Each structure stands twice: as C-alpha cells, then as structure tokens.
Amino acid sequence: ALVAALKSKDNAIRKASGKALVKLGASAVEPLIQVIDGKDVQLQADAAQILGELGDRKAYSSLKRRLVSNDRLVRQKSAEALIKLGWRPAQSEEVHFFMGQQDWDNVVRIGPSALDSILPVLKDSNKQVRTGAAKALGEIGDERAVEPLSQLLADSELSVSWTAAEALGKIGSSEAVSILLKHLGEEKTRRMAIWALGMTTDSRIVKPVAQALTDKDPVVVDLAVKSLGKMGPLAVEHLLSQFKSNDINRRSHVALALGETRDHRAIEPLLDALENDKTAVRKNAALALGMIGAPEVVQPLLEILQDKSSDIRASAALGLGEAGAETAIEPLMQALAEEDEELSWAATIALFQ
C-alpha cells in the first residue's frame, strides 16, 4: 500500500509515503526493487530515490539497468541512488552513468565511443537532455552525428535547434556544411545556420554568408558580421572586394565584419573609408579599426574625435576603447566633459574597456 501511494496525485501523500518506506527499512527494499524492475515509469523515479536513501546494495543491479531508461528522471534518480550506495561505474558503464546525471562534460571526455549511447537521447522528451546531447556531440566532433543532429534543426525548442546547428558547425564536415548552407534559404532556420557556419573553415561558406550582410532582418545581418569575423583570414579577401561596393549599407556592414576578423590587411582600406566615405561607413570603420587594434590606427581615431559628426566622434571613442592604447586615455578623459552626450557616454564606456 505504501508503494502504491507513490502514485498519488497529492504531493503531500507521495512525500509521506516515501518517508514511511524509508522508516520501514530493509523490508521495503524488495518491493521497491520490484517497482524498479517493473514498467511503471511514474513509480520508478520515486523508487530509485528511496532505494538510495535506504542504502541497501541489493538494489545495485536494478538501478544500473535503469541508467538506460527512456525517462530522464528515472535515469537521473537511479544515478543519484547509485552514488549514495557507493557504486562507481566501470569504464563500460560510465557513459550511461554520466548521462543519467546530465554530466555532459564527462560524456564528452569519453569521446567517440560514447556516440552510440548519446544518439538515442536526441529524441528524449526533455529539452534539456536533447540540448545537452547535441552539445556533447558537437564537442566530440564525430561525423556520424551529422545526420541525427540535422533532424534537430526542426526542433520546436529554440535552445535545442540552435545547439544542434552549433554542433554541426563545430563538426564542420563537408556534409555538415552542406546541410547548414541549405538552411540559409529556410526562413525558420537561417539565423542559426548563419551563426553555425561561422564556426567552420569551408571556403564555400564565405560568399553566401556575406550575401546576408544586406538582409532585411537586422538579426541576420548581425549574425553574418560575427560569423564572417570568426572566419578570419578565410573571409578577408572576399570582404575586401565587397568593401568596394557602391551600396553604402553593404560597405557599412562589411566594415564591421572586417573589424571582427582582426586581420591587418583591412587597416588601409578602413583608414581610407574613415577619411573619405559616407557617415554610416565612417562610423563602422572607426569601430572596426579599434577592433583590429594595431598601433597605426590610434592616431587617426584620435584625430576624428574632433569630427563635426557626433556619431563619428562617439564611434572614434568606442574604437579607441577597443584598441586599448594608453595614449588615448587623456583625450578620452577630456571627452567626458564634452556637452555632446553621446560622445561623453562613449568615452565613459571606452575608459572602462
């Protein structure tokens, strides 16, 4: 009757039943083991927890079998109970034990041999488990995970789909890149695809990601800038050619992407834009030069702290903050006292960087 009471919808009754079973001691072990070995998932998690508190090692085998349960809570409670019983997993048992605890760092440590155990939980009903499994697969980097991960791109939970996309980017195989490139054309998945492609080193990705710099969605543009920046030298030549575009909006976003690459080949064209281009491009060129942070960018940025445009002056201050040059400290301190509120705020931020 006490075991059956664990099925009550009343939380107080379930807790009281659990306490009573613990007080019952050794005579409660066999009935609880029968529950663990049964098919009632609702009872198994509670039974595992109580068996852990009872501390009887007769429950070892049954609890170990539940480490591969389809239910997240049963796996978790079984792992916790086994720890209380002093059990330590053999090497062959580690992956299920760590997954039961949602200890994904240790799952990753096991490496590719854990793959066959991880793949089934990509379909777990719990989003945290799916997310953890997807992240682990990305860290392990085994190409066999590409197709199962691609199925998660359509997951209804954003945390799961974005983690799966990131995992594909980290794996970075030709198949993974092809899948992500395909999703650039999908309204629901293009944001995550652009973000994930920035983690790869496949030359095919530069042009399609750069095309997103003029997208109507500002989030897509921002993600494209960051992804191109992460590509570094791989993207610089294409970005420099795009920087010659007649489209002011494109040049403006390309300037930021060049800054994100931290590549010194971008300094000269950015300095030229800083002097001669439209305000929107000059503003981002100042920020980009600060990101690159080479010694030769400091003086030009100091000079445009006196620009007639408030936006340019503020961007110059932020760029100097990014560059971190000591020679910029005094001019930035002086900018704090300016009546130009935007410049004063930017100088404050710069001095704290």
Coordinates of all heavy atoms in Angstrom, one line a residue, residues 217-313:
D217 N 16.5 41.5 -42.3 CA 16.5 41.2 -40.9 C 17.7 41.6 -40.2 O 18.8 41.1 -40.5 CB 16.3 39.6 -40.8 CG 16.2 39.2 -39.4 OD1 16.4 40.0 -38.4 OD2 15.8 38.0 -39.2
P218 N 17.7 42.6 -39.3 CA 18.9 43.1 -38.7 C 19.6 42.0 -37.8 O 20.8 42.1 -37.7 CB 18.4 44.2 -37.8 CG 16.9 44.0 -37.6 CD 16.5 43.3 -38.9
V219 N 18.9 41.0 -37.3 CA 19.5 40.0 -36.6 C 20.4 39.1 -37.5 O 21.5 38.7 -37.2 CB 18.4 39.1 -35.9 CG1 19.1 37.9 -35.2 CG2 17.6 39.9 -34.9
V220 N 19.8 38.8 -38.7 CA 20.6 38.1 -39.7 C 21.9 38.8 -40.1 O 23.0 38.2 -40.1 CB 19.8 37.8 -41.0 CG1 20.6 37.3 -42.1 CG2 18.6 36.8 -40.6
V221 N 21.8 40.1 -40.2 CA 23.0 40.9 -40.6 C 24.0 40.9 -39.5 O 25.2 40.6 -39.7 CB 22.6 42.4 -40.8 CG1 23.8 43.3 -41.0 CG2 21.7 42.5 -42.1
D222 N 23.6 41.0 -38.2 CA 24.5 41.0 -37.1 C 25.2 39.6 -37.0 O 26.4 39.6 -36.7 CB 23.7 41.3 -35.8 CG 24.6 41.5 -34.6 OD1 25.6 42.3 -34.7 OD2 24.4 40.8 -33.6
L223 N 24.4 38.6 -37.2 CA 25.0 37.2 -37.1 C 26.0 37.0 -38.2 O 27.0 36.3 -38.1 CB 23.9 36.2 -37.2 CG 23.0 36.1 -35.9 CD1 21.8 35.2 -36.2 CD2 23.8 35.6 -34.7
A224 N 25.6 37.5 -39.4 CA 26.6 37.4 -40.6 C 27.9 38.1 -40.3 O 29.0 37.6 -40.6 CB 25.9 37.9 -41.8
V225 N 27.8 39.3 -39.7 CA 29.0 40.0 -39.4 C 29.9 39.2 -38.4 O 31.1 39.1 -38.6 CB 28.7 41.4 -38.7 CG1 29.9 42.0 -38.1 CG2 28.1 42.4 -39.8
K226 N 29.3 38.7 -37.4 CA 30.0 37.9 -36.4 C 30.6 36.6 -37.0 O 31.7 36.2 -36.7 CB 29.1 37.6 -35.2 CG 28.8 38.8 -34.3 CD 28.0 38.5 -33.1 CE 27.9 39.6 -32.1 NZ 27.3 40.8 -32.7
S227 N 29.8 36.0 -37.8 CA 30.3 34.7 -38.5 C 31.4 35.0 -39.4 O 32.4 34.2 -39.4 CB 29.1 34.0 -39.2 OG 28.2 33.5 -38.3
L228 N 31.3 36.0 -40.2 CA 32.5 36.4 -41.1 C 33.7 36.7 -40.3 O 34.8 36.4 -40.7 CB 32.0 37.5 -42.0 CG 31.0 37.1 -43.1 CD1 30.4 38.4 -43.7 CD2 31.7 36.3 -44.2
G229 N 33.5 37.4 -39.2 CA 34.6 37.7 -38.3 C 35.3 36.5 -37.8 O 36.5 36.4 -37.7
K230 N 34.5 35.5 -37.4 CA 35.1 34.3 -36.8 C 35.8 33.5 -37.9 O 36.8 32.7 -37.6 CB 34.0 33.4 -36.3 CG 33.5 33.8 -34.9 CD 32.5 32.9 -34.3 CE 31.2 32.8 -35.0 NZ 30.2 31.9 -34.3
M231 N 35.5 33.7 -39.2 CA 36.2 33.0 -40.3 C 37.6 33.6 -40.5 O 38.4 32.9 -41.0 CB 35.4 33.1 -41.6 CG 34.0 32.4 -41.6 SD 33.1 32.8 -43.1 CE 31.5 32.4 -42.6
G232 N 37.8 34.8 -40.0 CA 39.1 35.4 -40.0 C 39.7 35.5 -41.4 O 39.0 36.0 -42.4
P233 N 40.9 35.1 -41.6 CA 41.6 35.2 -42.9 C 40.8 34.6 -44.1 O 41.0 35.0 -45.2 CB 42.9 34.4 -42.7 CG 43.2 34.5 -41.2 CD 41.8 34.5 -40.6
L234 N 40.1 33.5 -43.8 CA 39.3 32.9 -44.8 C 38.3 33.8 -45.5 O 38.1 33.7 -46.7 CB 38.5 31.7 -44.2 CG 37.7 30.8 -45.1 CD1 38.6 30.0 -46.0 CD2 36.8 29.9 -44.3
A235 N 37.8 34.8 -44.8 CA 36.8 35.7 -45.3 C 37.4 37.1 -45.8 O 36.7 37.8 -46.5 CB 35.7 36.0 -44.3
V236 N 38.6 37.4 -45.4 CA 39.1 38.8 -45.6 C 39.1 39.2 -47.1 O 38.6 40.3 -47.5 CB 40.5 38.9 -45.0 CG1 41.1 40.3 -45.5 CG2 40.4 38.9 -43.5
E237 N 39.6 38.4 -48.0 CA 39.7 38.7 -49.4 C 38.4 39.0 -50.0 O 38.2 40.0 -50.7 CB 40.4 37.6 -50.2 CG 41.9 37.5 -49.9 CD 42.7 38.7 -50.3 OE1 42.3 39.5 -51.1 OE2 43.8 39.0 -49.7
H238 N 37.4 38.2 -49.7 CA 36.0 38.4 -50.2 C 35.5 39.7 -49.6 O 34.8 40.5 -50.3 CB 35.1 37.2 -49.9 CG 33.8 37.4 -50.4 ND1 33.5 37.2 -51.8 CD2 32.6 37.7 -49.8 CE1 32.2 37.4 -52.0 NE2 31.6 37.7 -50.8
L239 N 35.7 39.9 -48.3 CA 35.1 41.1 -47.7 C 35.8 42.4 -48.3 O 35.1 43.4 -48.5 CB 35.4 41.1 -46.2 CG 34.5 40.1 -45.4 CD1 35.0 39.9 -44.0 CD2 33.0 40.5 -45.4
L240 N 37.1 42.3 -48.5 CA 37.7 43.5 -49.1 C 37.2 43.8 -50.5 O 37.0 45.0 -50.9 CB 39.2 43.3 -49.2 CG 40.0 43.3 -47.9 CD1 41.4 42.9 -48.0 CD2 39.9 44.7 -47.2
S241 N 36.8 42.8 -51.3 CA 36.2 43.0 -52.6 C 34.8 43.6 -52.4 O 34.4 44.5 -53.2 CB 36.2 41.8 -53.4 OG 35.3 40.8 -52.9
Q242 N 34.1 43.2 -51.4 CA 32.8 43.7 -51.1 C 32.8 45.1 -50.6 O 31.9 45.9 -50.8 CB 32.1 42.8 -50.1 CG 31.7 41.4 -50.6 CD 30.6 41.5 -51.7 OE1 29.5 42.0 -51.5 NE2 31.0 41.0 -52.9
F243 N 33.9 45.5 -50.0 CA 34.1 46.8 -49.5 C 34.2 47.9 -50.6 O 34.1 49.1 -50.3 CB 35.3 46.9 -48.6 CG 35.3 48.0 -47.5 CD1 34.2 48.3 -46.8 CD2 36.5 48.7 -47.3 CE1 34.2 49.3 -45.9 CE2 36.5 49.8 -46.4 CZ 35.3 50.0 -45.7
K244 N 34.3 47.4 -51.8 CA 34.4 48.4 -52.9 C 33.0 48.6 -53.5 O 32.8 49.3 -54.5 CB 35.3 47.8 -54.0 CG 36.7 47.7 -53.5 CD 37.6 47.0 -54.6 CE 39.0 46.8 -54.1 NZ 39.8 46.0 -55.0
S245 N 32.0 48.0 -52.9 CA 30.6 48.1 -53.5 C 30.1 49.5 -53.4 O 30.5 50.3 -52.6 CB 29.7 47.2 -52.6 OG 28.3 47.5 -52.9
N246 N 29.2 49.8 -54.4 CA 28.5 51.1 -54.4 C 27.4 51.3 -53.4 O 26.9 52.3 -53.1 CB 28.0 51.4 -55.8 CG 29.1 51.6 -56.8 OD1 30.2 52.2 -56.5 ND2 28.9 51.2 -58.0
D247 N 27.1 50.1 -52.8 CA 26.0 50.1 -51.8 C 26.5 50.5 -50.4 O 27.3 49.8 -49.8 CB 25.4 48.7 -51.7 CG 24.2 48.5 -50.8 OD1 24.1 49.3 -49.9 OD2 23.3 47.7 -51.1
I248 N 26.1 51.7 -49.9 CA 26.5 52.2 -48.7 C 26.2 51.2 -47.5 O 27.1 51.0 -46.6 CB 25.9 53.6 -48.4 CG1 26.4 54.6 -49.4 CG2 26.3 54.0 -47.0 CD1 25.7 55.9 -49.3
N249 N 25.0 50.7 -47.5 CA 24.6 49.8 -46.5 C 25.5 48.5 -46.4 O 26.0 48.1 -45.3 CB 23.2 49.3 -46.7 CG 22.6 48.5 -45.5 OD1 22.8 48.9 -44.4 ND2 21.9 47.5 -45.8
R250 N 25.9 48.0 -47.6 CA 26.7 46.8 -47.7 C 28.1 47.2 -47.1 O 28.7 46.5 -46.3 CB 26.8 46.3 -49.1 CG 27.8 45.1 -49.2 CD 27.8 44.6 -50.6 NE 26.6 43.9 -50.9 CZ 26.4 42.6 -50.6 NH1 27.3 41.9 -50.0 NH2 25.3 42.0 -51.0
R251 N 28.7 48.3 -47.6 CA 30.0 48.8 -47.2 C 30.0 48.9 -45.6 O 31.0 48.6 -45.0 CB 30.5 50.1 -47.8 CG 30.8 49.9 -49.3 CD 31.8 51.0 -49.8 NE 31.3 52.3 -49.4 CZ 30.4 53.0 -50.1 NH1 29.9 52.5 -51.2 NH2 30.1 54.3 -49.8
S252 N 29.0 49.5 -45.1 CA 28.9 49.7 -43.7 C 29.0 48.4 -42.9 O 29.8 48.3 -41.9 CB 27.6 50.5 -43.3 OG 27.4 50.6 -42.0
H253 N 28.3 47.4 -43.3 CA 28.3 46.1 -42.6 C 29.6 45.4 -42.8 O 30.1 44.7 -41.9 CB 27.1 45.3 -43.0 CG 25.8 45.8 -42.5 ND1 25.5 46.2 -41.2 CD2 24.6 46.2 -43.2 CE1 24.3 46.6 -41.0 NE2 23.7 46.6 -42.2
V254 N 30.1 45.5 -44.1 CA 31.4 44.8 -44.4 C 32.5 45.4 -43.5 O 33.4 44.7 -43.1 CB 31.7 45.0 -45.9 CG1 33.2 44.6 -46.2 CG2 30.8 44.1 -46.7
A255 N 32.4 46.7 -43.2 CA 33.4 47.3 -42.4 C 33.5 46.7 -41.0 O 34.6 46.3 -40.5 CB 33.1 48.8 -42.2
L256 N 32.3 46.4 -40.4 CA 32.3 45.8 -39.1 C 32.8 44.4 -39.2 O 33.5 43.9 -38.3 CB 30.8 45.8 -38.6 CG 30.3 47.0 -37.9 CD1 28.9 46.8 -37.4 CD2 31.2 47.5 -36.8
A257 N 32.4 43.6 -40.3 CA 32.9 42.3 -40.4 C 34.4 42.2 -40.6 O 35.1 41.4 -40.0 CB 32.3 41.6 -41.7
L258 N 35.0 43.2 -41.3 CA 36.5 43.3 -41.4 C 37.1 43.5 -40.0 O 38.2 42.9 -39.7 CB 36.9 44.4 -42.4 CG 36.7 44.1 -43.8 CD1 36.8 45.4 -44.7 CD2 37.7 43.1 -44.3
G259 N 36.5 44.3 -39.2 CA 37.0 44.5 -37.9 C 37.0 43.3 -37.1 O 37.9 43.0 -36.3
E260 N 35.9 42.5 -37.2 CA 35.7 41.2 -36.4 C 36.8 40.2 -36.8 O 37.2 39.4 -36.0 CB 34.4 40.6 -36.7 CG 33.2 41.4 -36.1 CD 33.0 41.1 -34.6 OE1 33.8 40.4 -34.0 OE2 32.1 41.8 -34.0
T261 N 37.3 40.3 -38.1 CA 38.4 39.4 -38.5 C 39.7 39.7 -37.8 O 40.6 38.8 -37.7 CB 38.6 39.4 -40.0 OG1 39.2 40.7 -40.3 CG2 37.4 39.2 -40.8
R262 N 39.9 40.9 -37.3 CA 41.2 41.3 -36.7 C 42.4 41.2 -37.7 O 43.5 41.1 -37.3 CB 41.5 40.5 -35.4 CG 41.0 41.1 -34.1 CD 39.5 41.1 -34.0 NE 39.0 41.5 -32.7 CZ 37.8 41.7 -32.4 NH1 36.8 41.5 -33.3 NH2 37.4 42.0 -31.1
D263 N 42.1 41.2 -38.9 CA 43.1 41.0 -40.0 C 43.7 42.3 -40.4 O 43.0 43.3 -40.8 CB 42.6 40.3 -41.2 CG 43.6 39.7 -42.1 OD1 44.4 40.5 -42.6 OD2 43.7 38.5 -42.3
H264 N 45.1 42.5 -40.3 CA 45.7 43.7 -40.6 C 45.6 44.2 -42.1 O 45.9 45.3 -42.4 CB 47.2 43.7 -40.2 CG 47.4 43.8 -38.7 ND1 48.4 44.4 -38.1 CD2 46.5 43.4 -37.7 CE1 48.3 44.3 -36.8 NE2 47.2 43.7 -36.5
R265 N 45.3 43.2 -42.9 CA 45.1 43.6 -44.3 C 43.9 44.6 -44.5 O 43.8 45.3 -45.6 CB 44.9 42.4 -45.2 CG 46.1 41.5 -45.5 CD 45.7 40.3 -46.2 NE 45.0 39.3 -45.3 CZ 44.4 38.2 -45.8 NH1 44.6 37.9 -47.1 NH2 43.8 37.4 -45.0
A266 N 43.1 44.7 -43.5 CA 41.9 45.5 -43.6 C 42.2 47.0 -43.2 O 41.4 47.9 -43.4 CB 40.8 45.0 -42.8
I267 N 43.4 47.2 -42.6 CA 43.6 48.5 -42.0 C 43.6 49.6 -43.0 O 42.9 50.7 -42.9 CB 45.0 48.5 -41.2 CG1 44.8 47.6 -40.0 CG2 45.4 49.9 -40.8 CD1 46.1 47.5 -39.2
E268 N 44.4 49.5 -44.1 CA 44.5 50.5 -45.1 C 43.1 50.9 -45.7 O 42.8 52.1 -45.7 CB 45.5 50.1 -46.2 CG 45.8 51.3 -47.2 CD 46.9 50.9 -48.2 OE1 47.7 50.0 -47.9 OE2 46.9 51.6 -49.2
P269 N 42.3 50.0 -46.2 CA 41.0 50.4 -46.8 C 40.1 51.0 -45.7 O 39.3 51.9 -46.0 CB 40.5 49.1 -47.4 CG 41.3 48.0 -46.8 CD 42.6 48.5 -46.5
L270 N 40.2 50.5 -44.5 CA 39.3 51.1 -43.4 C 39.8 52.5 -43.1 O 38.9 53.4 -42.9 CB 39.4 50.2 -42.2 CG 38.6 48.9 -42.3 CD1 39.0 48.0 -41.1 CD2 37.1 49.1 -42.3
L271 N 41.1 52.8 -43.1 CA 41.6 54.1 -42.8 C 41.1 55.1 -44.0 O 40.8 56.2 -43.7 CB 43.1 54.1 -42.7 CG 43.7 53.6 -41.4 CD1 45.2 53.5 -41.5 CD2 43.3 54.5 -40.3
D272 N 41.2 54.6 -45.2 CA 40.7 55.4 -46.3 C 39.2 55.7 -46.2 O 38.8 56.8 -46.4 CB 41.0 54.6 -47.6 CG 40.6 55.4 -48.8 OD1 41.2 56.5 -49.1 OD2 39.6 55.0 -49.6
A273 N 38.4 54.7 -45.8 CA 37.0 54.9 -45.6 C 36.7 55.9 -44.4 O 35.8 56.7 -44.5 CB 36.3 53.6 -45.3
L274 N 37.6 55.8 -43.4 CA 37.4 56.7 -42.3 C 37.5 58.2 -42.7 O 36.9 59.1 -42.1 CB 38.5 56.4 -41.2 CG 38.4 57.0 -39.9 CD1 37.2 56.5 -39.1 CD2 39.7 56.7 -39.0
E275 N 38.4 58.5 -43.7 CA 38.5 59.8 -44.1 C 37.6 60.3 -45.2 O 37.1 61.4 -45.3 CB 40.0 60.0 -44.7 CG 41.1 59.9 -43.6 CD 42.4 60.2 -44.2 OE1 42.5 60.7 -45.3 OE2 43.4 59.8 -43.5
N276 N 37.2 59.3 -46.1 CA 36.6 59.7 -47.4 C 35.1 59.2 -47.6 O 34.5 59.6 -48.6 CB 37.4 59.3 -48.5 CG 38.8 59.8 -48.4 OD1 39.0 61.0 -48.2 ND2 39.8 59.0 -48.6
D277 N 34.6 58.3 -46.8 CA 33.4 57.7 -47.1 C 32.2 58.4 -46.4 O 32.3 59.4 -45.8 CB 33.4 56.2 -46.6 CG 32.7 55.3 -47.6 OD1 31.6 55.7 -48.0 OD2 33.3 54.2 -47.9
K278 N 31.0 57.8 -46.7 CA 29.8 58.4 -46.1 C 29.8 58.1 -44.6 O 30.5 57.2 -44.0 CB 28.6 57.7 -46.7 CG 28.5 57.8 -48.2 CD 28.2 59.3 -48.6 CE 28.1 59.4 -50.1 NZ 27.9 60.8 -50.5
T279 N 28.9 58.8 -43.8 CA 28.9 58.8 -42.4 C 28.7 57.4 -41.8 O 29.4 56.9 -40.9 CB 27.8 59.7 -41.8 OG1 28.1 61.1 -42.2 CG2 27.8 59.7 -40.3
A280 N 27.8 56.7 -42.4 CA 27.5 55.3 -41.9 C 28.7 54.4 -42.0 O 28.9 53.6 -41.1 CB 26.3 54.7 -42.7
V281 N 29.4 54.5 -43.1 CA 30.6 53.7 -43.3 C 31.7 54.2 -42.4 O 32.4 53.3 -41.8 CB 31.0 53.7 -44.8 CG1 32.2 52.8 -45.0 CG2 29.9 53.3 -45.7
R282 N 31.9 55.5 -42.3 CA 33.0 56.0 -41.5 C 32.8 55.6 -40.0 O 33.7 55.2 -39.3 CB 33.0 57.5 -41.5 CG 33.4 58.1 -42.9 CD 33.4 59.6 -42.9 NE 34.5 60.1 -42.0 CZ 34.4 61.2 -41.3 NH1 33.3 61.9 -41.3 NH2 35.4 61.6 -40.5
K283 N 31.5 55.6 -39.6 CA 31.2 55.2 -38.2 C 31.7 53.8 -37.9 O 32.3 53.5 -36.9 CB 29.7 55.4 -38.0 CG 29.3 55.0 -36.6 CD 27.7 55.2 -36.5 CE 27.2 54.7 -35.1 NZ 25.8 54.9 -35.0
N284 N 31.3 52.9 -38.8 CA 31.7 51.5 -38.6 C 33.2 51.2 -38.9 O 33.8 50.3 -38.3 CB 30.8 50.6 -39.5 CG 29.4 50.4 -38.9 OD1 29.1 50.8 -37.8 ND2 28.5 49.8 -39.6
A285 N 33.8 52.0 -39.7 CA 35.2 51.9 -40.0 C 36.0 52.2 -38.7 O 37.0 51.6 -38.4 CB 35.6 52.8 -41.1
A286 N 35.5 53.2 -38.0 CA 36.2 53.6 -36.7 C 36.1 52.5 -35.7 O 37.1 52.1 -35.0 CB 35.5 54.9 -36.2
L287 N 34.9 51.9 -35.6 CA 34.7 50.7 -34.7 C 35.6 49.6 -35.1 O 36.3 48.9 -34.3 CB 33.3 50.3 -34.7 CG 32.3 51.3 -34.0 CD1 30.8 50.8 -34.3 CD2 32.5 51.5 -32.6
A288 N 35.7 49.3 -36.4 CA 36.4 48.2 -37.0 C 37.9 48.4 -36.7 O 38.6 47.4 -36.3 CB 36.2 48.0 -38.4
L289 N 38.4 49.6 -36.9 CA 39.9 49.8 -36.7 C 40.2 49.6 -35.2 O 41.3 49.1 -34.9 CB 40.2 51.3 -37.1 CG 40.2 51.5 -38.6 CD1 40.2 53.0 -39.0 CD2 41.5 50.8 -39.2
G290 N 39.3 50.0 -34.3 CA 39.5 49.7 -32.9 C 39.6 48.3 -32.6 O 40.4 47.8 -31.8
M291 N 38.7 47.5 -33.3 CA 38.7 46.0 -33.0 C 40.1 45.4 -33.5 O 40.6 44.5 -32.8 CB 37.6 45.4 -33.9 CG 36.2 45.6 -33.4 SD 35.0 44.8 -34.5 CE 33.6 45.8 -34.3
I292 N 40.6 45.9 -34.6 CA 41.9 45.4 -35.1 C 43.0 45.8 -34.1 O 43.9 45.0 -33.8 CB 42.2 45.9 -36.5 CG1 41.2 45.3 -37.5 CG2 43.6 45.5 -36.9 CD1 41.2 45.9 -38.9
G293 N 42.9 47.0 -33.6 CA 43.8 47.5 -32.5 C 45.3 47.6 -32.8 O 46.1 47.7 -31.9
A294 N 45.7 47.8 -34.0 CA 47.1 47.9 -34.4 C 47.5 49.4 -34.0 O 46.7 50.3 -33.9 CB 47.3 47.7 -35.8
P295 N 48.8 49.6 -33.6 CA 49.3 50.9 -33.2 C 49.0 52.0 -34.2 O 48.7 53.1 -33.8 CB 50.8 50.7 -33.1 CG 51.0 49.2 -32.8 CD 49.9 48.5 -33.6
E296 N 49.0 51.7 -35.5 CA 48.8 52.7 -36.5 C 47.4 53.2 -36.7 O 47.1 54.2 -37.4 CB 49.3 52.2 -37.9 CG 48.6 51.0 -38.5 CD 49.3 49.7 -38.2 OE1 49.9 49.6 -37.1 OE2 49.4 48.8 -39.1
V297 N 46.5 52.6 -36.0 CA 45.1 53.1 -36.1 C 44.7 54.1 -35.0 O 43.7 54.8 -35.1 CB 44.1 51.9 -36.0 CG1 44.4 50.8 -36.9 CG2 43.9 51.4 -34.5
V298 N 45.6 54.2 -34.0 CA 45.3 55.1 -32.8 C 45.2 56.5 -33.2 O 44.3 57.3 -32.9 CB 46.3 54.8 -31.7 CG1 46.0 55.8 -30.5 CG2 46.2 53.4 -31.2
Q299 N 46.3 57.0 -33.9 CA 46.3 58.5 -34.2 C 45.1 58.9 -35.1 O 44.5 59.9 -34.8 CB 47.6 58.8 -34.9 CG 47.9 60.3 -35.1 CD 47.7 61.1 -33.8 OE1 48.2 60.7 -32.7 NE2 47.1 62.3 -33.9
P300 N 44.8 58.2 -36.2 CA 43.6 58.6 -37.0 C 42.3 58.6 -36.2 O 41.5 59.5 -36.4 CB 43.6 57.5 -38.1 CG 45.0 57.0 -38.2 CD 45.5 57.0 -36.8
L301 N 42.2 57.7 -35.2 CA 41.0 57.7 -34.4 C 41.0 58.9 -33.4 O 40.0 59.5 -33.2 CB 40.9 56.4 -33.6 CG 40.6 55.1 -34.4 CD1 40.6 53.9 -33.5 CD2 39.2 55.2 -35.0
L302 N 42.2 59.2 -32.9 CA 42.3 60.4 -32.1 C 41.9 61.7 -32.8 O 41.2 62.6 -32.3 CB 43.7 60.6 -31.5 CG 44.1 59.6 -30.4 CD1 45.6 59.7 -30.1 CD2 43.3 59.9 -29.1
E303 N 42.3 61.7 -34.1 CA 42.0 62.9 -34.9 C 40.5 63.1 -35.1 O 40.0 64.2 -35.1 CB 42.8 62.8 -36.2 CG 44.3 63.0 -36.1 CD 45.0 62.7 -37.3 OE1 44.4 62.5 -38.4 OE2 46.3 62.8 -37.3
I304 N 39.8 62.0 -35.3 CA 38.4 62.2 -35.6 C 37.5 62.3 -34.4 O 36.3 62.4 -34.5 CB 37.8 61.1 -36.6 CG1 37.9 59.7 -35.9 CG2 38.5 61.0 -37.9 CD1 37.0 58.7 -36.6
L305 N 38.2 62.3 -33.2 CA 37.4 62.7 -32.0 C 36.9 64.1 -32.1 O 36.0 64.6 -31.4 CB 38.3 62.6 -30.8 CG 38.4 61.2 -30.0 CD1 39.3 61.3 -28.9 CD2 37.0 60.8 -29.6
Q306 N 37.5 64.9 -33.1 CA 37.1 66.3 -33.3 C 36.2 66.4 -34.5 O 36.0 67.6 -35.0 CB 38.4 67.2 -33.5 CG 39.4 67.0 -32.4 CD 38.9 67.4 -31.0 OE1 38.1 68.3 -30.9 NE2 39.3 66.6 -30.0
D307 N 35.8 65.3 -35.1 CA 34.9 65.4 -36.3 C 33.6 66.2 -36.0 O 33.2 66.3 -34.9 CB 34.6 64.0 -36.7 CG 34.1 63.9 -38.1 OD1 34.9 63.7 -39.0 OD2 32.8 64.0 -38.3
K308 N 33.1 66.8 -37.1 CA 31.9 67.6 -36.9 C 30.6 66.7 -36.7 O 29.6 67.2 -36.2 CB 31.6 68.4 -38.2 CG 31.5 67.6 -39.5 CD 31.3 68.5 -40.7 CE 31.1 67.7 -41.9 NZ 31.0 68.6 -43.1
S309 N 30.7 65.4 -37.0 CA 29.6 64.5 -36.8 C 29.7 63.9 -35.4 O 30.7 63.3 -35.0 CB 29.6 63.4 -37.8 OG 28.7 62.3 -37.4
S310 N 28.6 64.0 -34.6 CA 28.5 63.4 -33.3 C 28.6 61.9 -33.3 O 29.3 61.3 -32.5 CB 27.2 63.8 -32.6 OG 27.0 63.2 -31.4
D311 N 28.0 61.3 -34.3 CA 28.1 59.8 -34.5 C 29.5 59.4 -34.7 O 30.0 58.4 -34.1 CB 27.2 59.4 -35.6 CG 25.7 59.4 -35.3 OD1 25.4 59.5 -34.1 OD2 24.9 59.3 -36.2
I312 N 30.3 60.1 -35.5 CA 31.6 59.7 -35.8 C 32.5 59.9 -34.6 O 33.3 59.0 -34.2 CB 32.2 60.6 -37.0 CG1 31.4 60.4 -38.2 CG2 33.7 60.3 -37.2 CD1 31.5 59.0 -38.8
R313 N 32.3 61.0 -33.8 CA 33.1 61.2 -32.6 C 32.8 60.1 -31.6 O 33.8 59.6 -31.0 CB 32.7 62.6 -32.0 CG 33.2 63.8 -32.8 CD 33.1 65.1 -32.0 NE 31.8 65.4 -31.5 CZ 30.9 66.1 -32.2 NH1 31.2 66.6 -33.4 NH2 29.7 66.4 -31.7

